[in-house]
Amino acid sequence: MASDCEPALNQAEGRNPTLERYLGALREAKNDSEQFAALLLVTKAVKAGDIDAKTRRRIFDAVGFTFPNRLLTTKEAPDGCPDHVLRALGVALLACFCSDPELAAHPQVLNKIPILNTFLTARGDPDDAARRSMIDDTYQCLTAVAGTTRGPRHLIAGGTVSALCQAYLGHGYGFDQALALLVGLLAAAETQCWKEAEPDLLAVLRGLSEDFQKAEDASKFELCQLLPLFLPPTTVPPECLRDLQAGLARILGSKLSSWQRNPALKLAARLAHACGSDWIPAGSSGSKFLALLVNLACVEVRLALEETGTEVKEDVVTACYALMELGIQECTRCEQSLLKEPQKVQLVSIMKEAIGAVIHYLQQVGPEKQKEPFVFASVRILGAWLAEETSSLRKEVCQLLPFLVRYAKTLYEEAEEANDLSQQVATLAISPTTPGPTWPGDALRLLLPGWCHLTVEDGPREILIKEGAPSLLCKYFLQQWELTSPGHDTSVLPDSVEIGLQTCCHIFLNLVVTAPGLIKRDACFTSLMNTLMTSLPALVQQQGRLLLAANVATLGLLMARLLSTSPALQGTPASRGFFGAAILFLSQSHVARATPGSDQAVLALSPDYEGIWADLQELWFLGMQAFTGCVPLLPWLAPAALRSRWPQELLQLLGSVSPNSVKPEMVAAYQGVLVELARANRLCREAMRLQAGEETASHYRMAALEQCLSEP
């Protein structure tokens, strides 16, 4: 009775009668031989057609993991049965189970990863159908595991990346599946892949690069899409760069459709991001190739952005931005540039038109799009252009400035609310790949160099002030400064943080000189002054941060002249600490250095100052001038300088070196400080006289100082 009802029940449930019969035999098997035979039949039935999730689960319930585990690990096969047949059966069952995502993530599957890896590189008859089937099933298992949430991490830890690399390089059966799975793992966990298997991945990159350089058919376009994923986070091998450049030169030098050209532009952009221009050979061929790259990128940007209403391929245009940025860098490079002067002039003209298209696009951006990564990328390339060129497109740039200020403010405030400062300072490089869900909001860092140039000009500066840029910059500076303060690990901060702080100082210096009234009336500059005063004493003591200390000291001294009536500058501990640190910065720049064959020393730069004096000297001279201006405004400053012994030591230094070794501008700077100190305080005059001040003034023809010291 039951047997009569069973076929009808199976039919009603959509079950496969043959498979049900085999499963019954499997459940009733009394020994390994019977179970093995039943498993062969079950496997055959499973491969004969598709099965649904319920059926797969029923097979698993009937088989479990125990017997497949034995099949995969057994070293003794029955007589007349090849070794790999048992393993093939075990893998086939696992492949069936892995079709269920829940089972693919099961520990009993995950712990088979090392065994499965060995099947990818095992030697054997390439024409053996059973072996080929086992390899296919192995890839099915690994691919299923990779599709689970934590699968990529388990595969990488289990050595699958190296196994896949070896399988691909061996070009045996299934090597194309190895490459596809590698691509998936790199896309999911690039950093971990390279950390675990860098030598093997580099070997794959060498193979792909060589194939790319030799390819004459459509495969070269497919390789363009694959190769960006295989570029390492560290150094790309030189031989790979040569092959990649040669392959790209052939592709981009041909007449192409957009679907052929775009992957090549994206690959070139990734190389530019990873290597700058180092991957492009020197000489005529390299300069022509670079000019072609930038030209194509500019054309693509204009086509995409000038036509209102057309769909923008954001990944392609973003890649073109990276190539334009490379062009900007090469056009502004004075030494060892790949480009000749006529090429630079031509490319600047072409890039100007493309930047005009970027400005046109940004003018159309509404509030709803301001958080989109492509807008950020567009602001970045505009910032890179403005950092080097502000005279062209001046009208268009001025019209866009209100948007740029609002945009930077929006991203800054949202990032601040999220308290995600580490991401704000993270280096955001243009990449043709799709950005992640979290997009760092440090747009201000990208705009700082351009704004530094623009604050020198009356028109742009008035717009920036009107739109509230100075207040925003003060807040940004104070926030970024917090990242460098005690309690934060400055070793993990990118250089862009300190460079950004220095650029902010330059902008504030421009405002001090060109808009002193703004400094006096805007409360944000009072807060800035307080931060400068409390920070400089520790900063001047830190190794390797002299340039930032110079910026802070000079800016603070210039602001102190304008804010001299502020209670914070009336001899408070903070103000005394600041001026003491400023004196330390100004006084330690030069030393007396003995010269061979001469009894008299010469004035020379201190070791710490010598290597960066080209960047430092303007700040130093400006700082000396600003300190001189502060002395008559702050009565307590001259006695404080005397207690620091700066005037005495300065005269002692000048007395110990040959006057001929001291340049006229140095003499003028030193005299300015000494004269103001002498005029401001009687004790200073007496101390200078005791230090042979009048004689030294005479030797250096410091008439003003000599006259001041001769008076009572």
Side-chain angles (χ1 to χ4, degrees):
M1 184 76 173
S3 61
D4 292 338
C5 295
E6 204 171 90
L9 181 61
N10 288 338
Q11 187 175 7
E13 293 183 0
R15 296 181 179 179
N16 182 329
T18 303
L19 178 60
E20 293 303 316
R21 189 165 61 252
Y22 295 160
L23 286 175
L26 180 62
R27 284 191 293 268
E28 295 173 4
K30 296 182 175 60
N31 52 50
D32 283 355
S33 297
E34 291 181 4
Q35 194 171 25
F36 178 63
L39 277 173
L40 285 174
L41 295 173
V42 168
T43 305
K44 181 178 179 181
V46 168
K47 289 189 174 182
D50 295 333
I51 57 173
D52 58 23
K54 288 184 178 180
T55 304
R56 280 196 301 271
R57 179 60 72 164
R58 293 182 64 247
I59 295 173
F60 172 72
D61 291 340
V63 176
F65 279 116
T66 302
F67 199 66
N69 289 349
R70 291 173 59 193
L71 291 172
L72 290 170
T73 57
T74 185
K75 296 181 180 179
E76 296 183 3
D79 293 339
C81 178
D83 293 345
H84 68 268
V85 170
L86 296 181
R87 293 193 292 274
L89 177 58
V91 177
L93 288 169
L94 276 187
C96 174
F97 299 161
C98 286
S99 300
D100 184 334
E102 185 178 341
L103 292 179
H106 196 284
Q108 286 286 355
V109 172
L110 299 178
N111 65 21
K112 303 299 182 301
I113 289 174
I115 298 174
L116 295 172
N117 291 341
T118 63
F119 298 159
L120 300 180
T121 56
R123 296 180 179 180
D125 182 0
D127 297 323
D128 187 329
R131 186 176 295 278
R132 288 191 171 203
S133 177
M134 181 176 71
I135 292 174
D136 286 335
D137 288 336
T138 299
Y139 281 116
Q140 184 178 337
C141 291
L142 296 174
T143 302
V145 172
T148 63
T149 303
R150 305 180 106 184
R153 187 181 70 176
H154 288 291
L155 291 174
I156 294 167
T160 300
V161 176
S162 291
L164 291 170
C165 290
Q166 294 165 25
Y168 173 75
L169 293 169
H171 275 68
Y173 178 77
F175 78 98
D176 54 339
Q177 298 182 69
L179 185 62
L181 188 49
L182 267 178
V183 167
L185 290 176
L186 283 167
E190 177 185 12
T191 303
Q192 292 86 344
C193 286
W194 281 101
K195 182 178 179 181
E196 291 293 331
E198 181 173 347
D200 295 302
L201 285 169
L202 286 177
V204 172
L205 174 61
R206 290 187 183 94
L208 291 173
S209 302
E210 188 175 348
D211 292 345
F212 179 62
Q213 192 270 337
K214 294 178 179 178
E216 298 289 347
D217 55 12
S219 65
K220 60 187 176 184
F221 303 115
E222 297 173 2
L223 286 168
C224 272
Q225 296 177 326
L226 286 177
L227 279 162
L229 289 166
F230 286 89
L231 294 178
T234 53
T235 305
V236 182
E239 63 273 22
C240 296
L241 293 178
R242 287 193 296 269
D243 288 340
L244 293 173
Q245 189 276 330
L248 282 171
R250 283 210 311 274
I251 290 177
L252 295 174
S254 306
K255 189 174 181 179
L256 301 171
S257 61
S258 60
W259 73 267
Q260 295 170 322
R261 181 178 58 253
N262 291 346
L265 290 173
K266 291 164 72 172
L267 173 58
R270 282 299 300 272
L271 288 168
H273 169 56
C275 311
S277 61
D278 293 343
W279 61 288
I280 302 175
S284 176
S285 63
S287 64
K288 289 180 180 178
F289 175 70
L290 176 58
L292 174 65
L293 270 183
V294 178
N295 209 328
L296 288 173
C298 290
V299 170
E300 191 70 34
V301 168
R302 291 188 63 189
L303 288 174
L305 301 183
E306 285 182 347
E307 295 295 330
T308 305
T310 58
E311 183 180 355
V312 177
K313 295 180 179 178
E314 295 180 353
D315 57 339
V316 177
V317 178
T318 304
C320 292
Y321 286 166
L323 297 175
M324 286 175 59
E325 195 166 337
L326 178 63
I328 292 170
Q329 292 169 1
E330 284 300 313
C331 284
T332 55
R333 180 178 293 181
C334 298
E335 297 180 358
Q336 298 182 332
S337 174
L338 292 171
L339 299 170
K340 297 179 180 178
E341 201 59 36
Q343 290 175 312
K344 291 182 179 181
V345 173
Q346 184 182 17
L347 283 183
V348 167
S349 177
I350 294 170
M351 288 190 289
K352 175 183 173 182
E353 295 175 348
I355 291 297
V358 174
I359 293 175
H360 171 75
Y361 165 76
L362 290 174
Q363 287 171 337
Q364 319 303 317
V365 172
E368 73 282 357
K369 286 191 173 183
Q370 288 193 5
K371 299 176 186 177
E372 293 183 3
F374 182 66
V375 175
F376 192 100
S378 300
V379 170
R380 177 189 169 106
I381 188 60
L382 177 59
W385 173 265
L386 292 177
E388 306 296 343
E389 174 58 62
T390 56
S391 59
S392 60
L393 298 170
R394 182 173 302 182
K395 178 181 177 182
E396 292 83 352
V397 170
C398 286
Q399 290 174 345
L400 191 64
L401 277 178
F403 163 80
L404 292 177
V405 175
R406 290 194 301 271
Y407 176 76
K409 184 178 181 181
T410 297
L411 268 63
Y412 166 79
E413 288 177 346
E414 296 210 354
E416 187 181 51
E417 288 172 8
N419 197 28
D420 203 352
L421 301 184
S422 61
Q423 286 185 329
Q424 288 184 49
V425 299
T427 301
L428 179 62
I430 288 182
S431 169
T433 54
T434 303
T438 303
W439 193 258
D442 194 6
L444 262 174
R445 177 176 61 83
L446 309 178
L447 295 168
L448 289 177
W451 287 7
C452 187
H453 298 316
L454 291 170
T455 48
V456 178
E457 304 175 26
D458 292 340
R461 181 177 62 253
E462 289 175 4
I463 296 173
L464 288 170
I465 292 174
K466 180 181 178 182
E467 296 297 329
S471 176
L472 174 61
L473 288 169
C474 282
K475 293 177 183 177
Y476 178 76
F477 181 90
L478 297 176
Q479 177 217 67
Q480 295 289 288
W481 190 265
E482 280 298 311
L483 296 174
T484 68
S485 62
H488 290 82
D489 185 4
T490 57
S491 64
V492 301
L493 291 176
D495 293 339
S496 58
V497 174
E498 190 149 317
I499 293 172
L501 289 170
Q502 292 176 23
T503 310
C504 280
C505 287
H506 295 167
I507 295 174
F508 296 140
L509 286 170
N510 290 342
L511 294 175
V512 167
V513 174
T514 61
L518 175 70
I519 308 299
K520 293 179 179 179
R521 68 175 180 266
D522 198 320
C524 70
F525 287 101
T526 301
S527 299
L528 176 62
M529 185 69 212
N530 290 335
T531 297
L532 299 179
M533 287 196 300
T534 57
S535 303
L536 186 62
L539 185 60
V540 294
Q541 304 289 344
Q542 296 176 19
Q543 289 291 327
R545 307 190 75 188
L546 182 57
L547 193 55
L548 180 59
N551 277 277
V552 170
T554 304
L555 175 61
L557 290 170
L558 284 169
M559 289 180 62
R561 288 198 310 184
L562 299 176
L563 302 174
S564 60
T565 59
S566 168
L569 285 165
Q570 306 311 311
T572 61
S575 62
R576 290 180 180 276
F578 168 78
F579 276 94
I583 289 173
L584 197 63
F585 158 66
L586 295 171
S587 65
Q588 292 186 340
S589 61
H590 291 78
V591 295
R593 183 175 298 169
T595 55
S598 175
D599 295 335
Q600 201 164 20
V602 297
L603 188 71
L605 287 166
S606 302
D608 289 342
Y609 289 67
E610 194 168 12
I612 58 173
W613 186 246
D615 298 319
L616 200 64
Q617 61 177 336
E618 186 176 353
L619 290 167
W620 187 87
F621 281 108
L622 196 56
M624 290 287 286
Q625 181 183 351
F627 186 93
T628 300
C630 287
V631 173
L633 298 174
L634 301 171
W636 61 269
L637 184 53
L642 182 63
R643 285 193 295 273
S644 74
R645 294 194 54 78
W646 184 26
Q648 302 97 307
E649 291 173 358
L650 179 51
L651 287 169
Q652 183 180 3
L653 174 64
L654 291 173
S656 65
V657 300
S658 168
N660 293 331
S661 69
V662 186
K663 296 179 180 179
E665 60 267 26
M666 294 293 300
V667 174
Y670 286 146
Q671 179 176 225
V673 169
L674 291 170
V675 166
E676 287 301 331
L677 289 174
R679 287 175 177 170
N681 186 270
R682 177 182 58 81
L683 294 177
C684 280
R685 291 195 297 274
E686 293 178 0
M688 291 182 195
R689 293 190 189 106
L690 292 174
Q691 197 62 50
E694 292 178 89
E695 181 181 351
T696 301
S698 176
H699 286 162
Y700 284 89
R701 298 180 180 177
M702 296 179 177
L705 178 60
E706 190 173 6
Q707 180 180 353
C708 183
L709 293 180
S710 66
E711 297 173 355

